[in-house]
Amino acid sequence: MRDQLTRAAALAAVLLTAAAATASATNGTTVVPSTAFDAAAPAGAAVPRAAASGQPALAQTTAVQPAFAQTTGAQRAPGQAGSLHAASVRAASGARSHEVVTWGASADRLGAGTPDRAYRLVVHTSVAGSDARIRLTNAFGDRPLTLDSVWAGVQGSGAALRPGTNRRLTFGGATSVSVPAGRTVLSDPLPGRLPAGTDLVVSLHSPDAAGPATGHGMAMQTSCTTQGDHTAEEGAGHWTSTTGSWFYLDSVSVRTAPRTAAVVALGDSITDGWHSSTDLNRRWPDYLARRLGQAHAGVQGVANEGISGNKVLADGAGQSARNRLDRDVLSQPGVRTVFLFEGVNDIKAHTGVTAADMIAGYREIAARAHAAGKCVVGATVGPFKGWGEWDQAAESVRQEVNAFLRDSGDFDAVTDFDRVLRSPYDAERILPFLDGGDHLHPNDKGMQAMADAVDLTALDCTGGPNSAH
């Protein structure tokens, strides 16, 4: 069997070399093997003939094998280059890969869409892999969204991209896609390797955006906007306006080893990173991703699905954790574990929510995640005395909720963020050294302390979820 795999790898390598030589001879393009994302085809590479009409591709609503993105400037039949690349990877590794989310952000309403606007969105990857795909979202739209130009590259400085990295994404072989109202759509795979910790830049343009826009409001990351389609450009010249939100971009996934999986952090503004340093990736899930990568853990992908102001039970700042669980968490590829850290917004709002109400909500989320085959790690609600809405009644509910979280057995593991963050001199307050200044949200040091408290073996969850026992 090993000899057969060796021969297959050698054959695939020969085919790749021959294809590269043909492309170089026909159009003068130098072909670089798909070993690094930033060493891939130059901007302006030809797209499949299927896209020549300029008509938007239909959103994929079923599991369809899409055409692979082109790896050179040569004109090829859709799927040829990607098939050779995939064959060489499979032959060389002797094992099948699978898709795992490497970045994610929860969807919410972002006001009205603007026609003929382009966005250059900066995101930070967690797990490394190949054949990156992006997921676009029109979850809160009331009409189809047309995106006629979508590119992905590696950030150089600010809005400028690293030269030679910007590459056009396709959708079912076409360069334009229509995302139906209330739906998401996946791009075709983009051949090449995307390293962990990459500042990936997705540039997209809509000629006719209108009605409610979908995206993520509090990115804690500076992205750029412009009028007109400048998505193919690697320079920053036209990208003169900035935004602190991610528009229409839902997640990024890669193909990686079968044993590698992801964790999704389902949370509120603390998970979203409020009071961490903008543009430095110091949210607690970012610190966690770096720990997982350094430990070479089985779980390495991290998707941050926090929404500022979010609640477990009630819609408001985004749909509640219960109502967005399927879309933001369970639909992401390669997820092994759900990390549930919410509740302070329910408690401090003084809407009459009781500890029993909260417990029922936690149990519902855990049961649904278990039914989907995921493990669930729960986290205790941190201290917030000194925040304007704190009072002793809210504190009593928090203490009762935390007692349940620690001892109920409904979760596969529990991380005690309350104990990590609280002051030894007043257990109802966050330790000043970790306080971002408002007595609720941790600063960078607090975010790192939270990530350091997570048991990495619990995220791996090798024994399977509770429902499997």
Side-chain angles (χ1 to χ4, degrees):
M1 180 65 179
R2 185 175 300 172
D3 292 341
Q4 291 175 337
L5 291 173
T6 302
R7 286 195 295 272
L11 176 59
V14 169
L15 290 171
L16 278 171
T17 303
T22 300
S24 181
T26 56
N27 67 2
T29 300
T30 301
V31 180
V32 182
S34 299
T35 55
F37 187 80
D38 60 355
V47 298
R49 295 186 190 274
S53 66
Q55 295 299 314
L58 293 177
Q60 297 173 8
T61 56
T62 58
V64 177
Q65 180 63 40
F68 281 80
Q70 300 299 291
T71 56
T72 76
Q75 192 74 39
R76 291 176 175 162
Q80 180 184 358
S83 297
L84 290 173
H85 172 70
S88 67
V89 170
R90 286 194 298 268
S93 66
R96 295 179 62 188
S97 61
H98 75 144
E99 198 166 358
V100 174
V101 62
T102 188
W103 174 86
S106 47
D108 200 2
R109 293 174 176 84
L110 286 185
T114 304
D116 196 29
R117 177 164 291 180
Y119 299 89
R120 178 152 281 181
L121 308 171
V122 182
V123 303
H124 194 70
T125 65
S126 53
V127 62
S130 61
D131 297 332
R133 304 175 81 185
I134 69 167
R135 190 166 85 173
L136 301 172
T137 179
N138 192 22
F140 294 96
D142 60 5
R143 68 200 73 190
L145 169 72
T146 299
L147 294 165
D148 59 0
S149 187
V150 185
W151 293 67
V154 178
Q155 187 180 34
S157 177
L161 305 183
R162 191 180 300 170
T165 65
N166 204 24
R167 300 163 66 192
R168 190 162 202 160
L169 288 159
T170 58
F171 302 84
T175 58
S176 184
V177 65
S178 178
V179 188
R183 303 298 295 272
T184 61
V185 64
L186 279 170
S187 74
D188 299 334
L190 190 63
R193 185 161 180 80
L194 183 60
T198 296
D199 288 325
L200 180 70
V201 179
V202 177
S203 303
L204 50 86
H205 173 262
S206 175
D208 58 359
T214 300
H216 187 83
M218 195 179 76
M220 303 301 297
Q221 173 67 53
T222 302
S223 294
C224 295
T225 68
T226 187
Q227 284 301 112
D229 183 6
H230 300 282
T231 54
E233 300 169 7
E234 294 188 328
H238 286 100
W239 299 91
T240 55
S241 298
T242 61
T243 177
S245 301
W246 290 304
F247 285 79
Y248 305 119
L249 182 61
D250 200 46
S251 64
V252 180
S253 59
V254 294
R255 296 198 70 82
T256 188
R259 74 172 188 87
T260 303
V263 56
V264 177
L266 179 59
D268 49 39
S269 56
I270 300 178
T271 297
D272 217 2
W274 185 238
H275 277 297
S276 68
S277 296
T278 301
D279 295 334
L280 294 181
N281 301 302
R282 292 181 178 176
R283 314 163 191 86
W284 74 261
D286 297 321
Y287 283 110
L288 178 61
R290 290 189 278 273
R291 279 191 68 205
L292 289 166
Q294 292 165 1
H296 304 290
V299 169
Q300 291 193 31
V302 179
N304 185 335
E305 300 292 337
I307 298 181
S308 180
N310 200 230
K311 297 177 181 177
V312 174
L313 302 176
D315 293 346
Q319 293 178 313
S320 70
R322 293 187 304 177
N323 290 338
R324 64 190 182 92
L325 177 67
D326 290 339
R327 182 193 63 239
D328 287 351
V329 179
L330 301 182
S331 69
Q332 300 291 354
V335 174
R336 182 175 298 163
T337 303
V338 178
F339 195 106
L340 175 60
F341 175 46
E342 289 220 34
V344 69
N345 290 314
D346 300 75
I347 294 169
K348 69 183 181 61
H350 297 292
T351 59
V353 170
T354 66
D357 296 329
M358 296 294 299
I359 289 168
Y362 290 130
R363 281 182 163 151
E364 177 190 331
I365 292 171
R368 286 166 56 194
H370 283 150
K374 316 301 181 186
C375 293
V376 184
V377 175
T380 53
V381 179
F384 66 100
K385 187 177 181 179
W387 176 267
E389 294 168 292
W390 184 92
D391 62 19
Q392 197 58 57
E395 180 65 22
S396 296
V397 173
R398 187 180 76 91
Q399 294 292 349
E400 191 173 346
V401 163
N402 282 350
F404 158 78
L405 290 166
R406 291 185 182 107
D407 303 325
S408 71
D410 286 73
F411 304 96
D412 301 282
V414 176
T415 299
D416 202 337
F417 283 158
D418 174 40
R419 288 180 179 168
V420 171
L421 295 172
R422 70 194 185 195
S423 169
Y425 309 106
D426 185 347
E428 297 171 349
R429 289 184 180 272
I430 188 171
L431 183 67
F433 178 69
L434 305 179
D435 191 348
D438 63 8
H439 312 300
L440 170 62
H441 299 92
N443 57 20
D444 290 354
K445 292 293 185 183
M447 295 285 181
Q448 184 171 9
M450 293 169 66
D452 288 346
V454 177
D455 180 358
L456 302 189
T457 60
L459 298 184
D460 239 355
C461 201
T462 54
N466 278 341
S467 60
H469 297 315

Coordinates of all heavy atoms in Angstrom, one line a residue, residues 46-62 64-70 78-79 99 119 121 132-138 145-152 167-180 183-191 201-207 229 231 247-253:
A46 N -6.5 34.3 -14.9 CA -7.7 34.1 -15.7 C -8.7 33.3 -14.9 O -8.3 32.5 -14.0 CB -7.4 33.3 -17.0
V47 N -10.0 33.5 -15.1 CA -11.0 32.7 -14.4 C -11.7 31.8 -15.4 O -11.5 31.9 -16.6 CB -12.1 33.7 -13.9 CG1 -11.5 34.6 -12.9 CG2 -12.7 34.5 -15.0
P48 N -12.4 30.8 -14.9 CA -13.0 29.8 -15.8 C -14.0 30.4 -16.8 O -14.6 31.4 -16.6 CB -13.8 28.9 -14.8 CG -13.2 29.1 -13.4 CD -12.7 30.5 -13.5
R49 N -14.1 29.7 -17.9 CA -14.9 30.2 -19.0 C -16.4 30.3 -18.5 O -17.2 31.1 -19.1 CB -14.9 29.2 -20.2 CG -13.5 29.2 -20.9 CD -13.6 28.3 -22.1 NE -12.2 28.0 -22.6 CZ -11.6 28.9 -23.4 NH1 -12.1 30.0 -23.8 NH2 -10.4 28.6 -23.9
A50 N -16.8 29.5 -17.5 CA -18.1 29.6 -17.0 C -18.5 31.0 -16.5 O -19.7 31.4 -16.4 CB -18.3 28.6 -15.9
A51 N -17.5 31.8 -16.2 CA -17.7 33.1 -15.6 C -17.7 34.2 -16.6 O -18.0 35.3 -16.3 CB -16.7 33.4 -14.5
A52 N -17.5 33.8 -17.9 CA -17.3 34.8 -18.9 C -18.6 35.7 -19.1 O -18.5 36.8 -19.6 CB -16.9 34.2 -20.2
S53 N -19.7 35.1 -18.9 CA -21.0 35.8 -19.1 C -21.2 37.0 -18.2 O -22.0 37.9 -18.4 CB -22.2 34.9 -19.0 OG -22.3 34.4 -17.7
G54 N -20.5 36.9 -17.0 CA -20.7 38.0 -16.0 C -21.9 37.8 -15.2 O -22.3 38.6 -14.3
Q55 N -22.7 36.7 -15.4 CA -23.9 36.5 -14.7 C -23.6 36.0 -13.3 O -22.8 35.1 -13.1 CB -24.9 35.5 -15.4 CG -25.3 36.1 -16.7 CD -26.2 37.3 -16.6 OE1 -27.0 37.4 -15.7 NE2 -25.9 38.3 -17.4
P56 N -24.3 36.4 -12.2 CA -24.1 35.9 -10.9 C -24.4 34.4 -10.8 O -25.3 33.9 -11.4 CB -25.1 36.7 -10.0 CG -25.4 37.9 -10.8 CD -25.4 37.5 -12.2
A57 N -23.5 33.7 -10.1 CA -23.8 32.3 -9.8 C -24.9 32.2 -8.8 O -25.0 33.1 -7.9 CB -22.5 31.6 -9.3
L58 N -25.6 31.1 -8.8 CA -26.6 30.9 -7.8 C -25.9 30.4 -6.5 O -25.0 29.7 -6.5 CB -27.6 29.9 -8.3 CG -28.5 30.3 -9.4 CD1 -29.4 29.1 -9.8 CD2 -29.4 31.5 -9.0
A59 N -26.5 30.8 -5.4 CA -25.9 30.3 -4.1 C -26.1 28.8 -4.0 O -27.1 28.3 -4.4 CB -26.7 31.0 -2.9
Q60 N -25.1 28.2 -3.5 CA -25.1 26.7 -3.3 C -25.9 26.4 -2.1 O -25.6 26.7 -1.0 CB -23.7 26.1 -3.2 CG -22.8 26.4 -4.4 CD -21.4 26.0 -4.2 OE1 -21.1 25.4 -3.1 NE2 -20.5 26.3 -5.1
T61 N -27.0 25.6 -2.3 CA -27.9 25.3 -1.2 C -27.8 23.8 -0.8 O -28.4 23.4 0.1 CB -29.3 25.6 -1.5 OG1 -29.7 25.0 -2.7 CG2 -29.5 27.1 -1.7
T62 N -27.0 23.1 -1.6 CA -26.8 21.7 -1.3 C -25.3 21.4 -1.5 O -24.6 22.2 -1.9 CB -27.6 20.7 -2.3 OG1 -27.1 21.0 -3.7 CG2 -29.0 21.0 -2.2
V64 N -22.5 20.5 -3.2 CA -22.1 20.3 -4.6 C -20.6 20.5 -4.6 O -20.0 21.4 -4.0 CB -22.8 21.4 -5.5 CG1 -22.3 21.2 -6.9 CG2 -24.3 21.2 -5.4
Q65 N -19.9 19.6 -5.4 CA -18.5 19.8 -5.5 C -18.2 21.0 -6.5 O -18.5 20.9 -7.7 CB -17.9 18.5 -6.1 CG -16.4 18.6 -6.3 CD -15.6 18.8 -5.0 OE1 -16.0 18.2 -4.0 NE2 -14.6 19.6 -5.0
P66 N -17.7 22.1 -6.0 CA -17.5 23.2 -6.9 C -16.2 23.1 -7.7 O -15.3 22.3 -7.4 CB -17.4 24.4 -5.8 CG -16.7 23.7 -4.7 CD -17.3 22.3 -4.6
A67 N -16.1 24.0 -8.7 CA -14.9 24.1 -9.5 C -13.8 24.7 -8.6 O -14.1 25.6 -7.8 CB -15.2 25.0 -10.7
F68 N -12.6 24.3 -8.8 CA -11.5 24.9 -8.1 C -11.1 26.2 -8.7 O -11.2 26.4 -9.9 CB -10.3 23.9 -8.1 CG -10.5 22.8 -7.1 CD1 -11.2 21.7 -7.5 CD2 -9.8 22.8 -5.9 CE1 -11.4 20.6 -6.6 CE2 -10.0 21.8 -5.0 CZ -10.8 20.7 -5.3
A69 N -10.6 27.1 -7.9 CA -10.0 28.4 -8.4 C -8.8 28.1 -9.2 O -8.1 27.1 -9.0 CB -9.7 29.3 -7.2
Q70 N -8.5 28.9 -10.2 CA -7.4 28.7 -11.0 C -6.1 29.1 -10.3 O -6.0 30.0 -9.5 CB -7.5 29.6 -12.3 CG -8.8 29.4 -13.1 CD -8.8 27.9 -13.6 OE1 -8.0 27.6 -14.5 NE2 -9.7 27.1 -13.1
P78 N -12.5 24.3 -15.9 CA -12.8 24.3 -14.5 C -12.5 23.0 -13.8 O -12.9 22.0 -14.3 CB -14.3 24.7 -14.4 CG -14.6 25.4 -15.7 CD -13.7 24.7 -16.7
G79 N -11.8 23.1 -12.7 CA -11.5 21.9 -11.9 C -10.2 21.2 -12.2 O -9.7 20.5 -11.4
E99 N -12.6 19.8 6.2 CA -12.7 21.2 6.3 C -12.9 21.6 7.8 O -13.7 21.0 8.5 CB -13.9 21.7 5.5 CG -13.9 23.1 5.1 CD -14.8 23.5 4.0 OE1 -15.5 22.6 3.5 OE2 -14.9 24.7 3.7
Y119 N -15.5 46.7 0.2 CA -15.0 46.5 1.6 C -13.7 45.7 1.5 O -13.6 44.7 0.8 CB -16.0 45.8 2.5 CG -17.3 46.5 2.6 CD1 -18.4 46.3 1.7 CD2 -17.5 47.4 3.6 CE1 -19.6 46.9 1.8 CE2 -18.7 48.1 3.8 CZ -19.7 47.9 2.9 OH -20.9 48.5 3.0
L121 N -11.7 43.7 4.1 CA -11.9 43.2 5.4 C -10.7 42.4 5.9 O -10.3 41.4 5.3 CB -13.2 42.4 5.5 CG -14.4 43.1 4.9 CD1 -15.6 42.1 4.7 CD2 -14.8 44.3 5.7
A132 N -8.5 27.3 1.0 CA -9.4 28.2 1.8 C -10.7 28.5 1.1 O -10.7 28.7 -0.1 CB -8.6 29.5 2.1
R133 N -11.7 28.5 1.8 CA -13.1 28.9 1.3 C -13.6 30.0 2.3 O -13.4 29.9 3.5 CB -14.0 27.7 1.3 CG -13.6 26.6 0.5 CD -14.5 25.4 0.6 NE -15.6 25.6 -0.3 CZ -16.7 24.7 -0.4 NH1 -16.8 23.7 0.5 NH2 -17.7 24.9 -1.2
I134 N -14.3 31.0 1.7 CA -15.0 31.9 2.6 C -16.5 31.8 2.5 O -17.0 31.3 1.5 CB -14.6 33.4 2.2 CG1 -15.2 33.8 0.8 CG2 -13.1 33.6 2.2 CD1 -15.1 35.2 0.5
R135 N -17.1 32.1 3.6 CA -18.6 32.0 3.6 C -19.1 33.4 3.7 O -18.8 34.2 4.6 CB -19.1 31.2 4.8 CG -20.6 30.9 4.8 CD -21.0 29.8 5.8 NE -21.2 30.3 7.1 CZ -21.7 29.6 8.1 NH1 -21.9 28.3 7.9 NH2 -21.9 30.1 9.3
L136 N -20.0 33.8 2.7 CA -20.6 35.1 2.7 C -22.0 35.0 3.3 O -22.7 33.9 3.1 CB -20.7 35.6 1.3 CG -19.3 35.8 0.5 CD1 -19.5 36.1 -0.9 CD2 -18.5 36.8 1.2
T137 N -22.5 36.1 3.9 CA -23.8 36.0 4.6 C -24.7 37.1 4.2 O -24.3 38.3 4.0 CB -23.6 36.0 6.1 OG1 -24.9 36.0 6.7 CG2 -22.8 37.2 6.6
N138 N -26.0 36.8 4.0 CA -27.0 37.7 3.8 C -28.2 37.3 4.8 O -29.3 37.4 4.4 CB -27.5 37.7 2.3 CG -28.5 38.8 2.0 OD1 -28.5 39.9 2.6 ND2 -29.3 38.6 0.9
L145 N -28.5 39.5 -2.4 CA -27.3 40.4 -2.4 C -26.4 39.9 -3.5 O -26.0 38.7 -3.6 CB -26.6 40.3 -1.1 CG -25.2 40.9 -1.0 CD1 -25.3 42.4 -1.0 CD2 -24.5 40.4 0.3
T146 N -26.1 40.8 -4.4 CA -25.1 40.5 -5.5 C -23.7 41.0 -5.1 O -23.5 42.1 -4.8 CB -25.5 41.1 -6.8 OG1 -26.8 40.7 -7.2 CG2 -24.5 40.8 -7.9
L147 N -22.8 40.1 -5.2 CA -21.4 40.4 -5.0 C -20.7 40.0 -6.3 O -20.6 38.8 -6.6 CB -20.8 39.7 -3.8 CG -21.4 40.1 -2.4 CD1 -21.1 39.1 -1.4 CD2 -20.9 41.5 -2.1
D148 N -20.2 41.0 -7.0 CA -19.7 40.8 -8.4 C -18.2 40.7 -8.4 O -17.6 40.4 -9.5 CB -20.2 41.8 -9.4 CG -19.8 43.2 -9.0 OD1 -19.1 43.4 -7.9 OD2 -20.1 44.2 -9.7
S149 N -17.5 40.9 -7.3 CA -16.0 40.8 -7.3 C -15.6 40.5 -5.9 O -15.8 41.3 -5.0 CB -15.4 42.1 -7.8 OG -14.0 42.0 -8.0
V150 N -15.0 39.4 -5.6 CA -14.5 39.0 -4.3 C -13.1 38.4 -4.5 O -12.8 37.5 -5.2 CB -15.4 37.9 -3.7 CG1 -14.9 37.6 -2.3 CG2 -16.9 38.3 -3.7
W151 N -12.2 39.0 -3.7 CA -10.7 38.7 -3.8 C -10.2 38.4 -2.4 O -10.8 38.9 -1.4 CB -9.9 39.8 -4.4 CG -10.2 40.1 -5.8 CD1 -11.4 40.5 -6.4 CD2 -9.4 39.9 -6.9 NE1 -11.3 40.6 -7.7 CE2 -10.1 40.2 -8.1 CE3 -8.0 39.4 -7.1 CZ2 -9.5 40.2 -9.4 CZ3 -7.5 39.3 -8.3 CH2 -8.2 39.7 -9.5
A152 N -9.2 37.6 -2.3 CA -8.5 37.3 -1.0 C -7.0 37.4 -1.2 O -6.4 36.9 -2.1 CB -8.9 35.9 -0.5
R167 N -5.9 37.3 -4.9 CA -6.4 36.3 -5.9 C -7.9 36.3 -5.9 O -8.6 36.4 -4.8 CB -5.9 34.9 -5.5 CG -4.4 34.8 -5.5 CD -3.9 33.6 -4.8 NE -4.3 32.4 -5.4 CZ -4.2 31.1 -4.9 NH1 -3.8 31.0 -3.7 NH2 -4.6 30.1 -5.6
R168 N -8.5 36.2 -7.1 CA -9.9 36.2 -7.2 C -10.6 34.9 -6.8 O -10.2 33.8 -7.1 CB -10.3 36.5 -8.7 CG -11.8 36.9 -8.8 CD -12.1 37.6 -10.1 NE -13.3 38.3 -10.1 CZ -13.6 39.3 -10.9 NH1 -12.8 39.7 -11.8 NH2 -14.8 39.9 -10.8
L169 N -11.7 35.1 -6.0 CA -12.5 33.9 -5.6 C -13.6 33.7 -6.6 O -14.2 34.7 -7.2 CB -13.1 34.2 -4.2 CG -12.0 34.1 -3.1 CD1 -12.6 34.8 -1.8 CD2 -11.7 32.6 -2.8
T170 N -14.0 32.5 -6.8 CA -15.1 32.1 -7.6 C -16.2 31.4 -6.8 O -15.9 30.8 -5.8 CB -14.7 31.3 -8.8 OG1 -14.0 30.1 -8.4 CG2 -13.7 32.1 -9.7
F171 N -17.4 31.3 -7.5 CA -18.5 30.6 -6.8 C -19.2 29.7 -7.9 O -19.8 30.2 -8.8 CB -19.5 31.7 -6.3 CG -18.8 32.6 -5.3 CD1 -18.1 33.7 -5.8 CD2 -18.9 32.4 -4.0 CE1 -17.5 34.6 -4.9 CE2 -18.3 33.2 -3.0 CZ -17.6 34.3 -3.5
G172 N -19.0 28.4 -7.8 CA -19.4 27.5 -8.8 C -18.8 27.8 -10.1 O -19.4 27.6 -11.2
G173 N -17.6 28.3 -10.1 CA -16.9 28.7 -11.3 C -17.1 30.1 -11.8 O -16.4 30.6 -12.7
A174 N -18.0 30.8 -11.3 CA -18.4 32.2 -11.7 C -17.7 33.2 -10.8 O -17.5 32.9 -9.6 CB -19.9 32.4 -11.8
T175 N -17.5 34.4 -11.3 CA -16.8 35.4 -10.5 C -17.8 36.3 -9.8 O -17.5 37.1 -9.0 CB -16.0 36.4 -11.4 OG1 -16.9 36.9 -12.5 CG2 -14.9 35.6 -12.1
S176 N -19.1 36.1 -10.0 CA -20.2 36.9 -9.4 C -21.1 35.9 -8.7 O -21.4 34.8 -9.2 CB -20.9 37.8 -10.4 OG -21.9 38.6 -9.7
V177 N -21.7 36.3 -7.6 CA -22.6 35.4 -6.9 C -23.8 36.2 -6.3 O -23.6 37.4 -5.9 CB -21.9 34.7 -5.7 CG1 -21.4 35.7 -4.7 CG2 -22.7 33.6 -5.1
S178 N -24.9 35.6 -6.3 CA -26.1 36.2 -5.7 C -26.5 35.4 -4.4 O -26.7 34.2 -4.5 CB -27.3 36.1 -6.7 OG -28.5 36.6 -6.1
V179 N -26.4 36.1 -3.3 CA -26.7 35.4 -2.0 C -28.2 35.7 -1.6 O -28.6 36.8 -1.4 CB -25.8 35.9 -0.9 CG1 -26.0 35.1 0.4 CG2 -24.3 35.9 -1.4
P180 N -29.0 34.7 -1.6 CA -30.4 34.9 -1.3 C -30.6 35.5 0.1 O -29.8 35.3 1.0 CB -31.1 33.5 -1.4 CG -30.1 32.7 -2.2 CD -28.7 33.2 -1.9
R183 N -29.7 33.7 3.7 CA -28.9 32.6 3.4 C -27.4 32.9 3.5 O -27.0 34.1 3.5 CB -29.2 32.0 2.0 CG -30.7 31.6 1.8 CD -31.1 30.5 2.8 NE -30.4 29.2 2.6 CZ -30.8 28.3 1.7 NH1 -31.9 28.4 1.0 NH2 -30.1 27.2 1.6
T184 N -26.6 31.9 3.4 CA -25.1 32.1 3.2 C -24.7 31.3 1.9 O -25.4 30.5 1.4 CB -24.4 31.5 4.4 OG1 -24.6 30.1 4.5 CG2 -24.7 32.2 5.7
V185 N -23.5 31.6 1.5 CA -23.0 30.9 0.3 C -21.5 30.8 0.5 O -20.8 31.6 1.0 CB -23.3 31.7 -1.0 CG1 -22.6 33.0 -1.0 CG2 -22.9 30.9 -2.2
L186 N -20.9 29.6 0.0 CA -19.5 29.3 0.1 C -18.8 29.6 -1.2 O -19.4 29.3 -2.3 CB -19.3 27.8 0.5 CG -19.4 27.4 2.0 CD1 -19.5 25.9 2.1 CD2 -18.3 28.0 2.8
S187 N -17.6 30.0 -1.1 CA -16.8 30.2 -2.3 C -16.2 28.8 -2.7 O -16.2 27.9 -2.0 CB -15.6 31.2 -2.1 OG -14.6 30.6 -1.3
D188 N -15.7 28.8 -4.0 CA -14.9 27.6 -4.4 C -13.6 27.6 -3.6 O -13.1 28.7 -3.1 CB -14.6 27.7 -5.8 CG -15.8 27.7 -6.7 OD1 -16.8 27.2 -6.3 OD2 -15.7 28.2 -7.9
P189 N -13.0 26.5 -3.4 CA -11.7 26.4 -2.7 C -10.6 27.2 -3.5 O -10.6 27.3 -4.7 CB -11.3 25.0 -2.7 CG -12.6 24.2 -2.9 CD -13.4 25.1 -3.8
L190 N -9.7 27.9 -2.7 CA -8.6 28.7 -3.3 C -7.3 27.9 -3.1 O -6.8 27.8 -1.9 CB -8.5 30.0 -2.6 CG -7.6 31.1 -3.3 CD1 -8.1 31.4 -4.7 CD2 -7.6 32.3 -2.4
P191 N -6.8 27.2 -4.1 CA -5.6 26.4 -3.9 C -4.4 27.1 -3.3 O -4.2 28.3 -3.5 CB -5.3 25.9 -5.3 CG -6.6 25.9 -6.0 CD -7.3 27.2 -5.5
V201 N -7.0 39.2 4.0 CA -7.8 40.3 3.6 C -8.7 39.8 2.5 O -8.3 39.4 1.5 CB -6.9 41.4 3.1 CG1 -7.8 42.6 2.6 CG2 -5.9 41.9 4.1
V202 N -10.0 40.0 2.8 CA -11.1 39.7 1.8 C -11.7 41.0 1.3 O -12.2 41.8 2.1 CB -12.2 38.8 2.5 CG1 -13.3 38.5 1.5 CG2 -11.6 37.4 3.0
S203 N -11.5 41.2 0.0 CA -12.1 42.4 -0.6 C -13.3 42.0 -1.4 O -13.2 41.1 -2.2 CB -11.0 43.0 -1.5 OG -9.8 43.3 -0.8
L204 N -14.4 42.7 -1.2 CA -15.6 42.4 -1.9 C -16.4 43.7 -2.3 O -16.3 44.7 -1.7 CB -16.5 41.5 -1.1 CG -16.8 41.8 0.4 CD1 -18.0 42.7 0.5 CD2 -17.1 40.6 1.2
H205 N -17.1 43.5 -3.4 CA -17.9 44.7 -4.0 C -19.3 44.3 -4.3 O -19.5 43.2 -4.9 CB -17.1 45.2 -5.2 CG -17.9 46.3 -5.9 ND1 -18.7 46.0 -7.1 CD2 -18.0 47.6 -5.7 CE1 -19.2 47.1 -7.5 NE2 -18.9 48.1 -6.7
S206 N -20.2 45.1 -4.0 CA -21.6 44.9 -4.4 C -22.1 46.0 -5.2 O -22.0 47.2 -4.8 CB -22.5 44.7 -3.2 OG -23.9 44.6 -3.6
P207 N -22.6 45.8 -6.4 CA -23.1 46.9 -7.3 C -24.4 47.5 -6.9 O -24.7 48.6 -7.2 CB -23.2 46.3 -8.7 CG -23.5 44.8 -8.4 CD -22.7 44.5 -7.1
D229 N -15.5 49.6 -7.6 CA -14.8 48.3 -7.5 C -13.3 48.4 -7.6 O -12.8 48.5 -8.7 CB -15.4 47.3 -8.6 CG -14.8 45.9 -8.4 OD1 -14.1 45.7 -7.4 OD2 -15.1 45.1 -9.3
T231 N -11.4 46.1 -5.8 CA -11.1 44.8 -5.1 C -9.8 44.2 -5.6 O -9.1 43.5 -4.9 CB -12.2 43.9 -5.1 OG1 -12.6 43.6 -6.5 CG2 -13.4 44.4 -4.3
F247 N -18.4 43.4 7.0 CA -19.6 43.4 6.2 C -19.7 42.1 5.3 O -18.7 41.8 4.6 CB -19.8 44.6 5.3 CG -20.2 45.9 6.0 CD1 -19.2 46.6 6.8 CD2 -21.5 46.3 6.0 CE1 -19.6 47.7 7.4 CE2 -21.8 47.5 6.7 CZ -20.9 48.2 7.4
Y248 N -20.8 41.4 5.4 CA -21.1 40.3 4.5 C -20.2 39.1 4.7 O -20.4 38.1 4.0 CB -21.2 40.7 3.1 CG -22.1 41.9 2.9 CD1 -21.7 43.1 2.4 CD2 -23.5 41.8 3.2 CE1 -22.5 44.2 2.2 CE2 -24.4 42.9 3.0 CZ -23.9 44.1 2.5 OH -24.7 45.1 2.3
L249 N -19.2 39.1 5.5 CA -18.2 38.0 5.6 C -18.5 37.3 6.9 O -18.5 37.9 8.0 CB -16.8 38.6 5.6 CG -15.7 37.6 5.7 CD1 -15.7 36.6 4.5 CD2 -14.3 38.3 5.8
D250 N -18.7 36.0 6.8 CA -19.2 35.2 7.9 C -18.1 34.3 8.5 O -18.0 34.2 9.7 CB -20.4 34.3 7.4 CG -21.3 33.8 8.5 OD1 -21.6 34.6 9.4 OD2 -21.6 32.6 8.6
S251 N -17.4 33.6 7.7 CA -16.3 32.7 8.2 C -15.4 32.4 7.1 O -15.6 32.6 5.9 CB -16.9 31.4 8.8 OG -17.6 30.7 7.8
V252 N -14.2 31.8 7.5 CA -13.2 31.3 6.6 C -12.9 29.9 7.0 O -12.7 29.6 8.3 CB -11.9 32.1 6.6 CG1 -10.9 31.6 5.6 CG2 -12.3 33.6 6.2
S253 N -12.8 28.9 6.1 CA -12.4 27.6 6.5 C -11.3 27.1 5.6 O -11.0 27.6 4.5 CB -13.6 26.6 6.3 OG -14.1 26.6 5.0

